[in-house]
Amino acid sequence: MQSLLELRHLKTLLAIREAGSLTRAAERLYLTQSALSHQIRLLEEHYGLPLFVRKQPLKLSPAGEKLVQLASEVLPRVAASERDIAKLREGEAGSLRIAVECHTCFDWLMPAMDTFRERWPEVELDIVSGFHADPVGLIFEDRADLAIVSEREDEARIAHFPLFAYDMVALVARDHPLADKPVLEATDFADETLITYPVPDDMLDLVRKVLRPAGVNPKRRTTELTVAMLQLVASRRGIAALPRWSVQHYLERGYIVAKPITTAGLTSELYAAVPQERADTAYLTEFVAITREVSLASLPGIQLITV
Amino acid sequence: MQSLLELRHLKTLLAIREAGSLTRAAERLYLTQSALSHQIRLLEEHYGLPLFVRKQPLKLSPAGEKLVQLASEVLPRVAASERDIAKLREGEAGSLRIAVECHTCFDWLMPAMDTFRERWPEVELDIVSGFHADPVGLIFEDRADLAIVSEREDEARIAHFPLFAYDMVALVARDHPLADKPVLEATDFADETLITYPVPDDMLDLVRKVLRPAGVNPKRRTTELTVAMLQLVASRRGIAALPRWSVQHYLERGYIVAKPITTAGLTSELYAAVPQERADTAYLTEFVAITREVSLASLPGIQLITV
DNA sequence: CCCAGTACATGAGCAATAGTCATTGCAATC
DNA sequence: GATTGCAATGACTATTGCTCATGTACTGGG
């Protein structure tokens, strides 16, 4: 009789539709699969109708469709109001200068910034230009408000928000001898030319986590541009290591092939670092949220970091 | 960080705005004043802003305004979706034939029916024509789907939904001797002509609850029309008893004056009676909900019946 | 066809929290 | 300055939403 429906349910429904399964939706919502299962069972009992057709993959019933439709109209509206309230409290304006150490990050950074700009038009949005070895340092110098980094720094004045994790893959030419191996180990790199961005070794996960510990030190070559890097790989001038999502496009066209790095895999993570005292500034936390949404939706094969 | 806001809160906010106070909003929501107070305190802590200006009467702050605005957009949308789902389950169509024993009820019945028609256009809506002494009987004969009655009947096959309660007032001419008494008792009616609708005495609360128990049996006169009744009262041809809300309009113009009946007051109640097995048919329960909303908003001085 | 692998369902138990009750605090009004 | 009408507060309780552990159903590969 009384309505049972809450915004929580709408969030769940939408997450299930987007993720395509209870299990993955649960991850996004930081809940268990069981919690979601209970939630929808309760809704189904309440409405006396199924919300899903229980098949793999889970499909929405007409009633489920109605609720998801509702969710997709209502939730953005609610988010907008909560944003308005944050603006009342903190003011519309502010600055968001982003420091980036990761070359490939621009792939998702641009769309994320676009969405952000729509929602916080008064916030001055910038990427701190030029390359910087120590993006967190820029925060201390007050030249940046937020830094995209690949490791948490042990520094009390900085708060870290996890963005996502992803696998690095080694890239070799199709006709390269290593293309036949299922997995590349550190020693496989010894006699190759490793092509990287021109950054310190500490910022290259492959070197820091795999090659250096194994004492492997291959010949090196650098380039600023990802396409140039792939070009060199394709023409057998060397091999490279990049996030899988950054090269998915090229892999599908068969220019090059990707190989896992070590049997355990080489997983990297990304965090947003902000000054501790600004950790609950609404537009900063929202930038993080947008980043995760955009990335989750557009980058294949990335994982959430469970805090 | 995580959003705390739920539909529950939006319902509360809207109820407070409509009722003008926590206490009355709480009644409508079947909660305590305390519950609402806790709710809004939590919201205020969460947003770090006040939602109300703490004065009598309670006024919304800008942040509160935003949320109420949100509520007034979102909640009707949610209700519409839930209605759609009910239609999926039970079908769009059906019939709602309403039996009424109370003459004045048409005052609120018409606007309620209008709202209902918008939301359930496929349901065949009718008032069972002619006057009927036993509206519940019409349900058994399947000539009505819902009856408006003033007493619960002890009958297992019928479910009763409380609508609202209201005070009956005695109406006398301005220059009538009784106009000076603060309260009329049963004996005051003895030497007057009582003007009523032409219905059995059992359906006249004044007779059933006050006069008959006191053994008072005044002269009688009947008329079908409320205006005619008031005309007779104004010209000192008799006195009448009607719900206060049905004559508020005329009282304000000073044609007649209203007096409480007995010191304890004469309170009447209205219920919607439906067949037990249809007690959770969506369009029937919604008709009840609409009726209460419409009445609460438009009839002065009515009270909710706390089940 | 079986068996692993993956995903959803279910039930018991627990922890968070939304609500009530009883009281206090605060204003406005006579 | 009492009285009345509301809202706020705090302690306690009931509810319920979630997790954990397990069960069961569906899929795809050998």
Side-chain angles (χ1 to χ4, degrees):
Chain A
M1 179 102 188
Q2 276 264 58
S3 178
L4 168 85
L5 193 71
E6 288 292 352
L7 291 179
R8 171 165 34 91
H9 299 116
L10 296 182
K11 286 175 191 157
T12 296
L13 261 337
L14 209 55
I16 294 175
R17 216 271 303 269
E18 277 167 14
S21 88
L22 289 203
T23 315
R24 267 168 298 160
E27 277 173 20
R28 294 198 194 193
L29 298 169
Y30 299 112
L31 291 174
T32 60
Q33 171 271 86
S34 175
L36 303 204
S37 187
H38 283 301
Q39 270 191 25
I40 68 153
R41 191 176 53 78
L42 243 57
L43 284 180
E44 291 184 328
E45 278 171 17
H46 177 250
Y47 290 119
L49 283 173
L51 299 181
F52 292 97
V53 193
R54 273 82 212 291
K55 278 190 188 142
Q56 249 72 342
L58 225 52
K59 230 187 107 46
L60 287 162
S61 76
E65 208 72 76
K66 286 250 180 268
L67 285 182
V68 167
Q69 173 65 22
L70 175 69
S72 67
E73 289 174 33
V74 159
L75 294 177
R77 181 68 191 73
V78 171
S81 287
E82 298 208 286
R83 198 154 49 234
D84 286 349
I85 291 176
K87 287 175 182 170
L88 279 177
R89 188 182 61 231
E90 300 168 7
E92 306 258 338
S95 75
L96 176 47
R97 295 159 298 173
I98 305 170
V100 200
E101 65 172 33
C102 148
H103 277 72
T104 44
C105 287
F106 290 88
D107 283 11
W108 51 261
L109 201 49
M110 291 302 153
M113 287 173 72
D114 288 343
T115 302
F116 181 84
R117 208 176 287 112
E118 276 172 34
R119 299 191 189 166
W120 296 85
E122 302 298 325
V123 170
E124 209 175 307
L125 186 59
D126 255 315
I127 292 186
V128 182
S129 61
F131 180 79
H132 302 279
D134 175 27
V136 171
L138 294 176
I139 293 181
F140 291 133
E141 297 167 28
D142 193 30
R143 293 170 56 199
D145 302 292
L146 181 148
I148 309 293
V149 298
S150 55
E151 273 207 327
R152 308 182 96 101
E153 233 158 292
D154 189 18
E155 167 61 77
R157 288 168 299 167
I158 296 291
H160 293 85
F161 295 101
L163 296 176
F164 53 84
Y166 55 91
D167 281 333
M168 298 285 287
V169 289
L171 302 168
V172 302
R174 297 177 65 182
D175 54 353
H176 192 287
L178 289 175
D180 297 327
K181 294 199 66 173
V183 175
L184 303 197
E185 300 294 340
T187 49
D188 291 320
F189 290 83
D191 302 323
E192 303 291 330
T193 297
L194 180 64
I195 308 165
T196 68
Y197 297 110
V199 299
D201 278 4
D202 276 338
M203 300 172 68
L204 297 168
D205 282 354
L206 172 66
V207 176
R208 199 182 66 228
K209 293 187 189 169
V210 178
L211 301 186
R212 193 189 291 160
V216 173
N217 193 14
K219 285 195 293 286
R220 303 286 280 278
R221 177 162 183 178
T222 65
T223 171
E224 280 279 0
L225 294 171
T226 309
V227 266
M229 198 178 286
L230 298 176
Q231 203 52 53
L232 290 169
V233 168
S235 55
R236 295 193 54 175
R237 315 278 254 297
I239 67 179
L242 287 174
R244 177 181 291 277
W245 50 261
S246 70
V247 294
Q248 190 71 24
H249 192 65
Y250 302 98
L251 292 174
E252 280 161 12
R253 304 198 173 176
Y255 295 159
I256 47 173
V257 293
K259 295 287 152 187
I261 298 169
T262 78
T263 30
L266 173 57
T267 300
S268 291
E269 297 177 336
L270 285 176
Y271 298 87
V274 300
Q276 186 62 58
E277 72 273 15
R278 301 190 66 198
D280 40 41
T281 301
Y283 73 81
L284 291 181
T285 56
E286 185 158 2
F287 178 79
V288 171
I290 291 174
T291 295
R292 302 177 65 202
E293 273 169 47
V294 165
S295 306
L296 214 55
S298 65
L299 306 181
I302 71 170
Q303 304 113 52
L304 284 170
I305 306 177
T306 37
V307 200
Chain B
M1 179 100 189
Q2 275 264 58
S3 178
L4 169 84
L5 193 71
E6 288 291 353
L7 291 180
R8 169 164 37 89
H9 300 115
L10 296 183
K11 286 174 191 157
T12 296
L13 260 341
L14 209 55
I16 294 175
R17 216 273 301 271
E18 276 167 15
S21 87
L22 290 203
T23 315
R24 266 168 298 159
E27 277 174 22
R28 293 198 196 192
L29 298 168
Y30 300 110
L31 292 174
T32 60
Q33 170 270 118
S34 175
L36 303 204
S37 187
H38 283 303
Q39 270 191 25
I40 68 154
R41 191 177 53 77
L42 244 56
L43 284 180
E44 291 184 328
E45 278 172 18
H46 178 249
Y47 290 121
L49 284 173
L51 298 181
F52 292 97
V53 193
R54 274 79 213 288
K55 281 191 186 139
Q56 246 69 335
L58 226 54
K59 230 190 109 42
L60 286 162
S61 76
E65 209 71 76
K66 286 250 180 268
L67 286 182
V68 167
Q69 173 63 23
L70 175 70
S72 67
E73 289 174 32
V74 160
L75 293 178
R77 183 66 246 283
V78 170
S81 288
E82 297 207 287
R83 199 155 47 235
D84 286 349
I85 291 175
K87 287 175 183 172
L88 280 177
R89 187 183 59 230
E90 300 168 7
E92 306 258 339
S95 75
L96 175 49
R97 295 159 298 173
I98 306 170
V100 199
E101 64 172 32
C102 148
H103 277 71
T104 45
C105 287
F106 290 89
D107 283 12
W108 51 260
L109 201 50
M110 291 301 155
M113 286 173 72
D114 288 342
T115 303
F116 181 85
R117 207 177 288 110
E118 276 171 33
R119 300 194 188 162
W120 296 85
E122 302 298 325
V123 170
E124 209 174 308
L125 185 59
D126 255 312
I127 292 188
V128 182
S129 60
F131 179 81
H132 302 280
D134 174 27
V136 172
L138 294 176
I139 293 181
F140 291 134
E141 296 167 29
D142 192 30
R143 293 171 56 200
D145 302 292
L146 180 148
I148 308 292
V149 298
S150 54
E151 274 206 326
R152 307 184 97 100
E153 234 157 292
D154 189 19
E155 167 60 80
R157 288 168 298 168
I158 296 291
H160 293 84
F161 295 101
L163 296 176
F164 53 85
Y166 54 91
D167 281 332
M168 297 286 286
V169 289
L171 301 169
V172 302
R174 295 176 66 183
D175 55 353
H176 193 285
L178 288 175
D180 297 326
K181 294 199 68 173
V183 174
L184 303 197
E185 300 295 339
T187 49
D188 292 320
F189 289 83
D191 302 322
E192 304 291 330
T193 298
L194 179 64
I195 309 164
T196 67
Y197 297 110
V199 300
D201 278 3
D202 277 338
M203 299 172 69
L204 296 169
D205 283 353
L206 173 66
V207 177
R208 199 182 66 228
K209 294 187 188 168
V210 179
L211 302 186
R212 192 188 293 158
V216 174
N217 194 14
K219 286 194 291 285
R220 301 286 282 278
R221 177 161 183 179
T222 66
T223 171
E224 279 277 0
L225 293 171
T226 307
V227 268
M229 197 177 288
L230 297 176
Q231 202 55 52
L232 291 169
V233 168
S235 55
R236 297 193 53 177
R237 314 279 254 298
I239 67 179
L242 287 175
R244 176 180 291 278
W245 50 260
S246 70
V247 294
Q248 189 71 25
H249 191 66
Y250 303 97
L251 291 176
E252 280 161 13
R253 304 198 171 177
Y255 295 160
I256 47 171
V257 294
K259 294 287 151 187
I261 298 169
T262 78
T263 31
L266 172 57
T267 300
S268 291
E269 296 177 336
L270 286 177
Y271 298 86
V274 300
Q276 185 63 56
E277 73 273 16
R278 300 190 65 198
D280 40 40
T281 301
Y283 73 82
L284 291 182
T285 57
E286 184 157 6
F287 178 79
V288 171
I290 291 174
T291 294
R292 301 177 66 205
E293 274 170 46
V294 165
S295 305
L296 215 54
S298 65
L299 306 181
I302 71 169
Q303 303 112 51
L304 285 169
I305 306 177
T306 37
V307 201

